[in-house]
Amino acid sequence: MRVVYNEQMGELGDLLGEMAGLAGTAMERSTRALLEADLALAEQVIDEHEKITELVTICEEKAFQLLALQGPVAGDLRAVVSGIQIVADIDRMGALALHIAKATRRRHPKHVLPDEVKGYFAEMGRIAVALGAATREILETRDPARAARLHHEDEAMDDLHRHLFTVLMDREWAHGVAAAVDVALLGRFYERFADHAVEVGRRVIFLVTGKLPTEEEIRQLVEKVDSLTVYPERHRAQNP
């Protein structure tokens, strides 16, 4: 029974990693479609979203089968429940990339973004894609230190999101209300994509350690790992 459980959990973990990879790819393509007003690329994201939806169903079925047939307890139960919650976060990541693609399609052949904010979205897209790749990595490695770093990387996204609003609120904004609404919503989609990646990281830390960390505890973990990286000889001296 234990062998069967381990095999099924391994399959679930592989599927979660695959979902995260698809969400990251969708975000990369959606961002390019947004910046270039590329309708074909936006349509590709929309058409391929069904793959994520199918994997969500498969993952949920596997997780509920584990609960019903294996009766997991303690750490095993934590792993299954975390898997169910991670499925929901990655599903939202894929949906947010889908919203960006649909915005491109809705405004085509016009560009959704005024030129003065394209730089913001190019950088937000870069960060989101990197977070998507990191999400897949931590699901495959279950490395709590790498998972904690997602929170640090998300801060750059939050900064860009805040700065974007200073542009929208500037009296020099000359693109009208509709463009401002589009920019505000799109900025929110990127910011939420990053938030869900961070939440996956928190779930992985919980899965490994048994404790769902606060933001302060995540920050302390990152600082500890950084100190071991920068001063490894000091750590060895303190812990011979």
Side-chain angles (χ1 to χ4, degrees):
M1 292 294 290
R2 186 69 191 179
V3 173
V4 173
Y5 169 81
N6 288 335
E7 289 178 350
Q8 292 175 331
M9 281 302 302
E11 291 173 359
L12 179 58
D14 290 343
L15 289 170
L16 290 174
E18 184 179 352
M19 279 182 63
L22 289 172
T25 297
M27 177 55 79
E28 188 273 330
R29 290 173 177 168
S30 290
T31 299
R32 281 199 287 132
L34 178 68
L35 295 172
E36 300 167 12
D38 189 329
L39 179 61
L41 198 54
E43 292 285 7
Q44 183 180 1
V45 173
I46 295 167
D47 292 342
E48 293 183 355
H49 182 70
E50 186 64 27
K51 294 179 182 178
I52 297 178
T53 302
E54 290 173 358
L55 285 177
V56 168
T57 301
I58 293 171
C59 286
E60 288 178 341
E61 289 177 350
K62 284 185 175 293
F64 288 127
Q65 285 175 1
L66 283 165
L67 287 174
L69 302 178
Q70 299 293 339
V73 296
D76 292 341
L77 179 60
R78 185 168 72 240
V80 177
V81 172
S82 295
I84 294 172
Q85 293 167 327
I86 288 170
V87 168
D89 281 305
I90 300 176
D91 184 27
R92 287 303 303 153
M93 291 168 71
L96 290 161
L98 176 66
H99 292 334
I100 295 168
K102 286 184 174 180
T104 299
R105 183 176 67 177
R106 184 171 61 252
R107 297 300 186 192
H108 191 269
K110 295 181 179 179
H111 283 261
V112 182
L113 302 175
D115 288 341
E116 64 199 81
V117 298
K118 283 186 177 180
Y120 286 90
F121 282 92
E123 182 62 9
M124 291 170 79
R126 186 195 65 78
I127 295 170
V129 171
L131 285 168
T135 300
R136 180 169 191 169
E137 177 189 341
I138 64 169
L139 287 170
E140 293 172 346
T141 64
R142 295 189 178 183
D143 181 353
R146 182 66 187 93
R149 285 184 179 278
L150 291 182
H151 183 274
H152 178 70
E153 293 162 10
D154 174 53
E155 291 178 354
M157 180 72 83
D158 290 339
D159 287 343
L160 283 166
H161 190 234
R162 283 192 294 269
H163 291 161
L164 186 62
F165 271 91
T166 66
V167 176
L168 293 178
M169 299 300 292
D170 194 301
R171 292 182 178 181
E172 299 300 319
W173 179 262
H175 306 286
V177 174
V181 170
D182 280 341
V183 170
L185 285 175
L186 288 164
R188 179 63 171 167
F189 294 154
Y190 281 95
E191 189 259 346
R192 289 301 298 155
F193 184 96
D195 286 347
H196 282 290
V198 171
E199 189 61 25
V200 172
R202 292 180 72 238
R203 295 295 175 188
V204 169
I205 295 173
F206 173 69
L207 174 61
V208 174
T209 67
K211 182 179 180 181
L212 194 63
T214 63
E215 290 189 7
E216 180 59 30
E217 288 169 336
I218 290 175
R219 187 173 292 106
Q220 290 172 357
L221 177 58
V222 171
E223 291 173 353
K224 180 179 180 180
V225 172
D226 285 345
S227 68
L228 297 183
T229 302
V230 176
Y231 303 110
E233 67 286 350
R234 180 185 301 176
H235 177 67
R236 285 193 295 269
Q238 294 173 347
N239 299 275

